[in-house]
Amino acid sequence: MTRTGEQIPQNEHNEHRMRRARSWLAQSGNVESDEEKFICLWIAFNAAYGGEPSGADGDGPNEIGRINTFLKKVIYHDRQNENRIRAILWETFSEQIQDLLCNRYAFKAFWQYVRGEPQGAGWDTQLERKNDGFWIDLEKENVFDVFREVFWRLYQLRNQVFHGGMTFQEGWGRTQLAQGRLIMEDIVPAVLDIMDENPGSDWGKVAYPRIGENPD
């Protein structure tokens, strides 16, 4: 019998989410290029945080709020145990993350400026202000604020890759792509482990639940 999303219990939503995320994480180890690895890792991450659509704009206010809530929940659970996200951000990839934060190509306002959008006016001042706040958060060890800012810079890189703004294995953007792939290779498994360790938490409904008895 076909069920609607409302009829599927939360534990099944969690199971579908984690099975899908783990499959893409495993596939990231079977491909070679930075592009392919980044794509697989991002799909795994998207499977972990993704849910029912909250608006037409992929990074509109509703989507931003939902993703930030997810990141905050991950940090909350991580703090109860091993602080793995903090270790990744402060110790393992501190240099790469700081380079990524200074890279204008991973900053949304820069591309708005390139496209002639008013939000891009003074993008360099916006970047400097954002990074000033980031350095303060880094010094104070505000894990969620640092994690959130790193995520949204990676999201801009994701947009370039997924929307065809990068040439496969050549051309511009190689530095930030390599940095993003390295960071994601540690961030994604850590996030999935944290979620696996907290199966009773409500990670939300998946956007595309499994329907019917057999796969088509």
Side-chain angles (χ1 to χ4, degrees):
M1 177 184 295
T2 299
R3 298 180 297 176
T4 66
E6 288 75 13
Q7 295 171 326
I8 299 173
Q10 184 58 50
N11 68 310
E12 285 193 34
H13 280 284
N14 289 354
E15 289 170 8
H16 297 337
R17 182 185 302 280
M18 298 310 299
R19 182 175 59 254
R20 294 166 181 177
R22 289 288 183 189
S23 73
W24 285 100
L25 175 61
Q27 181 60 20
S28 71
N30 298 328
V31 293
E32 299 295 330
S33 70
D34 285 334
E35 289 93 339
E36 292 167 304
K37 287 182 178 293
F38 184 85
I39 288 169
C40 289
L41 289 165
W42 192 274
I43 295 176
F45 201 27
N46 212 146
Y49 77 73
E52 295 176 313
S54 55
D57 186 357
D59 57 353
N62 292 334
E63 183 74 356
I64 290 172
R66 186 178 61 77
I67 293 173
N68 286 343
T69 297
F70 171 81
L71 299 179
K72 188 173 292 186
K73 185 180 293 188
V74 168
I75 294 300
Y76 168 79
H77 286 302
D78 194 30
R79 280 176 175 162
Q80 312 306 307
N81 294 289
E82 301 181 32
N83 279 316
R84 282 158 291 196
I85 300 299
R86 183 209 170 279
I88 292 169
L89 297 176
W90 268 261
E91 299 167 19
T92 308
F93 290 113
S94 176
E95 182 177 343
Q96 289 89 342
I97 285 170
Q98 292 185 45
D99 286 345
L100 181 69
L101 269 288
C102 291
N103 192 320
R104 62 181 180 175
Y105 302 114
F107 189 56
K108 181 178 180 178
F110 171 74
W111 293 110
Q112 291 174 320
Y113 163 76
V114 169
R115 294 191 293 266
E117 298 173 11
Q119 300 94 323
W123 69 267
D124 48 348
T125 302
Q126 293 185 55
L127 178 60
E128 183 178 355
R129 188 182 306 117
K130 274 279 188 183
N131 285 350
D132 283 346
F134 177 82
W135 308 136
I136 292 172
D137 289 328
L138 199 64
E139 183 177 347
K140 292 183 176 180
E141 296 200 6
N142 295 330
V143 182
F144 166 68
D145 291 324
V146 171
F147 189 29
R148 175 180 58 186
E149 193 60 35
V150 170
F151 173 88
W152 288 110
R153 301 301 176 92
L154 289 170
Y155 193 86
Q156 293 308 306
L157 179 58
R158 172 261 185 208
N159 286 347
Q160 293 178 50
V161 174
F162 277 72
H163 293 287
M166 191 173 289
T167 305
F168 182 65
Q169 291 192 321
E170 63 180 55
W172 284 259
R174 313 308 306 172
T175 299
Q176 62 263 34
L177 180 62
Q179 289 172 338
R181 187 264 298 173
L182 284 171
I183 296 167
M184 293 285 284
E185 279 184 330
D186 270 31
I187 286 285
V188 174
V191 168
L192 298 186
D193 286 345
I194 292 164
M195 295 174 72
D196 272 335
E197 291 160 7
N198 295 274
S201 185
D202 183 352
W203 297 105
K205 297 177 180 177
V206 294
Y208 302 97
R210 188 172 63 187
I211 303 297
E213 298 297 328
N214 299 302
D216 292 326

